[in-house]
């Protein structure tokens, strides 16, 4: 019988790779009642998605030439190869055995799964590696034959060095090319490397509900590894803990998960308290919450109109507002590509975080990198221009527009 946790990992990655679903959305749908299970499922599903390109290349090198495998079998192979190469708690043959059991339940093609994964293990053992010695060894060192094949391949129009980076850092070639075109090869490799580095979760605490001492006690009691930002003690950086939805200070509004750059928006705005603010593309509502708290701190009559394109996105904003106990925010479903004539020159401050490629947050949302292509970027530029054209008209004379994106290009 298949391991329940691995079955959940399979369901998640299949939905992302073949169901055209967003990883974070699928993950929330697959939540369990067991926090330990959630943590393992999060670690494995995220890891497989992060390393898909690398795993695909390794699996392909072990397949019988010309053999076609179905998507469900491929997903099991991704999981098995990841368990072998990256999951320290799984010994080589335990990873093979559990993957075979999973394949019996979801694909019936267990012979292919067993053959490919045993070939991966056999190859590593023949090279003198065991589970402990492969830790932190780059894949181009583990697989010099793949590196050699990439660098010797005669691919017209393809940069071999970029293809090697694509394999090592598990990023599609087209994105590697885009980054190199913008930043050069050395910076590109640094960016690609950063995508795979573990990053702390940025948390902003609500000083109107709690204080630093109380929050520190709660973090310590939960055994969370954390530090305060070197720039401000309002921002906490938590490591090795991603499941904040069930953490009491998060549920009662003491804490908000918010990137530091997003947090800065409410600071650089320098609100006095009586501003009328419009957040154009607001979901999930981090900037709205930050600005609303800043306005409320001044004890004046300032307020925020917070908008996004769908009810689902506005519901996310509403959840954050309710959790933080804010009553100076009104949410609206509105398409930012349409001009709202009633809002022209009505706002002192307009926040505009336009839809973008998200290249800057691939380290946190790894599935983004598989959806970036030239046509996608061209369409985004057109969309951004339409939104900006409307948004600037909402700013009063003498008002401020803060424009931001989470991309690099």
């Amino acid at each position: 019988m298949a391991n329940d946790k691995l079955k959940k990992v399979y369901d998640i990655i299949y939905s992302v790779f073949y169901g055209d679903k967003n990883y974070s959305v699928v993950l929330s749908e697959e939540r369990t009642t067991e926090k330990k299970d959630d943590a393992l499922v999060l670690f494995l599903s995220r890891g497989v998605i992060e390393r898909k390109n690398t795993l695909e290349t390794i699996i392909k090198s072990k397949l019988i030439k010309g053999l076609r495998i179905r998507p469900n079998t491929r997903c099991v192979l991704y999981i098995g190869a990841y368990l072998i190469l990256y999951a320290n708690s799984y010994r080589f043959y335990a990873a093979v055995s559990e993957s075979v059991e999973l394949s019996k339940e979801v694909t019936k093609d267990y012979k292919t799964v067993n053959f490919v994964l045993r070939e991966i293990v056999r190859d590593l053992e023949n090279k003198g590696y065991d589970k402990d010695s492969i830790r932190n060894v780059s894949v181009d060192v583990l697989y010099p034959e793949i590196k050699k094949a990439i660098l010797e391949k005669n691919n017209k129009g393809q940069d071999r060095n970029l293809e090697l980076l694509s394999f090592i850092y598990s990023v599609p070639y087209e994105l590697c090319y885009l980054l190199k075109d913008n930043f050069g090869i050395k910076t590109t490799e640094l960016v690609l490397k950063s995508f795979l580095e573990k990053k702390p979760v940025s948390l902003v605490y609500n000083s109107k509900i709690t204080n630093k001492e109380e929050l520190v006690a709660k973090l310590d009691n939960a055994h969370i590894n954390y530090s305060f930002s070197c720039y401000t003690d309002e921002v906490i950086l938590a490591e090795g803990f991603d499941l904040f939805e069930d953490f009491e200070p998060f549920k009662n509004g003491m804490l908000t998960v918010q990137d530091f750059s997003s947090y800065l928006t409410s600071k650089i705005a320098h609100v006095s308290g009586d501003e009328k603010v419009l957040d154009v593309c607001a979901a999930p509502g981090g900037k709205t919450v930050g600005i609303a708290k800043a306005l409320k701190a001044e004890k004046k009559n300032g307020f925020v109109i917070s908008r996004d394109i769908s009810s689902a996105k506005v519901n996310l904003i509403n959840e954050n507002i309710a959790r933080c106990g804010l009553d100076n925010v009104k949410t609206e479903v509105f398409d930012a590509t349409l001009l709202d004539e009633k809002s022209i020159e009505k706002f002192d401050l307009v926040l505009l975080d336009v839809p973008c490629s998200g290249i800057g947050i691939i380290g946190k949302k790894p599935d983004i990198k598989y959806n970036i292509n030239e046509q996608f970027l061209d369409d985004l530029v057109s969309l951004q221009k339409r939104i900006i054209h409307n948004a600037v008209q909402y700013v009063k004379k003498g008002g401020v527009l803060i424009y931001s994106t989470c991309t690099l290009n």
Side-chain angles (χ1 to χ4, degrees), residues 256-269:
T256 299
V257 178
Q258 186 178 24
D259 284 342
F260 187 72
S261 57
S262 180
Y263 159 83
L264 284 177
T265 302
S266 61
K267 299 301 176 184
I268 64 174

Side-chain angles (χ1 to χ4, degrees), residues 41 67 74 89 118 208 248 296 306 311 316 336 402-403:
V41 169
L67 177 67
R74 192 177 296 275
S89 59
R118 284 185 179 275
K208 298 302 175 184
E248 180 201 344
K296 205 169 182 65
S306 186
S311 296
L316 292 175
I402 299 179
Y403 176 89

Side-chain angles (χ1 to χ4, degrees), residues 336-337 339 352 383-394:
T337 63
L339 179 65
L352 183 56
L383 177 65
Q384 289 170 348
K385 286 180 178 178
R386 289 161 62 194
I387 293 173
I388 294 167
H389 176 76
N390 293 333
V392 295
Q393 298 184 62
Y394 305 145

Side-chain angles (χ1 to χ4, degrees), residues 42-99:
L42 176 64
F43 167 74
L44 294 177
S45 60
R46 178 188 175 86
V48 171
I49 292 170
E50 276 188 334
R51 302 282 184 173
K52 178 193 169 189
N53 260 33
T54 301
L55 299 172
E56 176 73 34
T57 303
I58 294 169
I59 290 166
K60 188 176 179 180
S61 73
K62 305 304 176 189
L63 283 171
I64 297 171
K65 192 172 183 179
L67 177 67
R68 292 185 178 183
I69 55 176
R70 291 171 293 187
N72 46 7
T73 302
R74 192 177 296 275
C75 284
V76 176
L77 286 171
Y78 289 150
I79 293 169
Y82 186 84
L83 293 177
I84 291 167
L85 292 163
Y86 299 106
N88 294 335
S89 59
Y90 281 80
R91 310 311 290 180
F92 280 165
Y93 288 101
V96 175
S97 176
E98 294 215 21
S99 300

Side-chain angles (χ1 to χ4, degrees), residues 265 276-289 291 303-310 313-314 317 329-340 343-355 383-396 400-404:
T265 302
K276 295 179 181 179
V277 182
L278 175 65
D279 195 349
V280 178
C281 303
K287 294 182 181 67
T288 288
V289 167
I291 288 290
F303 64 89
V304 183
I305 302 294
S306 186
R307 294 174 171 173
D308 220 304
I309 194 170
S310 68
K313 288 194 171 188
V314 169
I317 304 169
V329 181
K330 179 184 177 183
T331 58
E332 298 175 348
V333 176
F334 192 83
D335 184 348
T337 63
L338 304 176
L339 179 65
D340 178 14
S343 293
I344 292 175
E345 294 189 11
K346 296 294 185 184
F347 293 93
D348 303 288
L349 173 63
V350 173
L351 307 179
L352 183 56
D353 189 345
V354 293
L383 177 65
Q384 289 170 348
K385 286 180 178 178
R386 289 161 62 194
I387 293 173
I388 294 167
H389 176 76
N390 293 333
V392 295
Q393 298 184 62
Y394 305 145
V395 185
K396 286 181 179 179
V400 174
L401 183 145
I402 299 179
Y403 176 89
S404 61

Side-chain angles (χ1 to χ4, degrees), residues 73-185:
T73 302
R74 192 177 296 275
C75 284
V76 176
L77 286 171
Y78 289 150
I79 293 169
Y82 186 84
L83 293 177
I84 291 167
L85 292 163
Y86 299 106
N88 294 335
S89 59
Y90 281 80
R91 310 311 290 180
F92 280 165
Y93 288 101
V96 175
S97 176
E98 294 215 21
S99 300
V100 169
E101 289 303 309
L102 176 62
S103 69
K104 289 178 181 178
E105 182 172 328
V106 301
T107 78
K108 313 303 180 187
D109 193 9
Y110 66 90
K111 290 184 179 179
T112 297
V113 171
N114 185 57
F115 170 78
V116 172
L117 296 183
R118 284 185 179 275
E119 281 296 301
I120 291 174
V121 170
R122 190 178 295 114
D123 178 40
L124 291 170
E125 290 179 335
N126 287 340
K127 291 172 179 173
Y129 292 108
D130 60 19
K131 191 66 184 188
D132 296 320
S133 61
I134 66 169
R135 293 182 186 182
N136 302 318
V137 179
S138 179
V139 287
D140 58 322
V141 176
L142 287 177
Y143 293 97
E145 70 279 10
I146 293 179
K147 176 180 179 180
K148 184 172 183 286
I150 290 172
L151 294 177
E152 291 179 353
K153 185 165 60 174
N154 184 17
N155 236 4
K156 291 183 179 179
Q158 298 276 88
D159 185 319
R160 295 171 186 172
N161 289 319
L162 284 185
E163 285 201 14
L164 182 59
L165 293 182
S166 174
F167 168 60
I168 294 172
Y169 298 109
S170 193
V171 174
Y173 177 86
E174 192 165 0
L175 179 53
C176 293
Y177 183 86
L178 172 69
L179 290 170
K180 182 200 171 189
D181 198 41
N182 279 268
F183 306 112
I185 191 71

